């Protein structure tokens, strides 16, 4: 099992240079703070995949714990005991496409009222 995981991570590293121009912008809000996160993949087919969508939603929830718009801090944030970056690599190994957490925007705070809408 460990061998397969390492082999998948090697494949993920090889795919990292491929263009990831499709994807989704996901939104999460909690306690007056809202975040938008852009998560990219290579094809629109994968952008609709339930594994990709679940990952994107979990990244947005993890982004709520990050101060400001620091994408490096987001990549180190925790999702179920693993970093966002490690979860991303595992998903690349599973799906077979490059996946990038590209941008993060956050607004609001404890004393704010923020609503979200995705069209």
């Amino acid at each position: 099992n460990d061998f397969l995981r390492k082999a998948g991570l090697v494949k993920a590293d090889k795919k990292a240079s491929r263009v990831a121009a499709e994807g989704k912008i996901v939104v999460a809000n909690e306690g007056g703070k809202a975040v938008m996160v852009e998560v990219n993949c290579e094809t629109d087919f994968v952008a609709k995949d339930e594994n990709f969508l679940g990952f994107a939603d979990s990244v947005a929830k993890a982004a709520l714990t990050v101060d400001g718009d620091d994408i490096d801090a987001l990549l180190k944030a925790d999702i179920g005991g693993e970093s966002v970056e490690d979860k991303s690599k595992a998903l690349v190994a599973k799906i077979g496409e490059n996946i990038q957490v590209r941008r993060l925007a956050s607004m609001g705070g404890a004393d704010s009222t923020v609503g979200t809408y995705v069209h």
Side-chain angles (χ1 to χ4, degrees):
N1 189 17
D2 194 42
F3 171 76
L4 293 175
R5 184 182 63 79
K6 287 180 182 177
L9 294 178
V10 169
K11 288 180 185 176
D13 287 340
K14 289 179 182 176
K15 292 176 187 348
S17 65
R18 298 191 338 204
V19 175
E22 298 293 328
K24 185 165 179 67
I25 295 176
V26 287
V27 177
N29 65 334
E30 182 179 284
K33 180 178 181 180
V35 294
M36 294 188 306
V37 180
E38 179 183 353
V39 183
N40 295 118
C41 57
E42 294 177 44
T43 63
D44 62 339
F45 177 76
V46 167
K48 297 174 187 172
D49 177 77
E50 66 183 44
N51 294 302
F52 177 82
L53 295 173
F55 170 73
D57 286 338
S58 64
V59 171
K61 289 176 185 155
L64 289 168
T65 67
V66 173
D67 289 330
D69 300 340
D70 186 354
I71 195 73
D72 292 325
L74 176 57
L75 292 174
K76 294 174 184 159
D78 183 69
I79 298 177
E82 289 185 81
S83 70
V84 170
E85 186 172 24
D86 289 343
K87 283 279 193 183
S88 175
K89 287 180 180 180
L91 188 59
V92 169
K94 181 177 183 175
I95 292 178
E97 283 198 13
N98 185 18
I99 295 171
Q100 298 288 323
V101 179
R102 182 86 27 108
R103 288 184 271 195
L104 163 65
S106 65
M107 60 242 31
D111 298 329
S112 302
T113 300
V114 179
T116 60
Y117 170 78
V118 178
H119 180 73

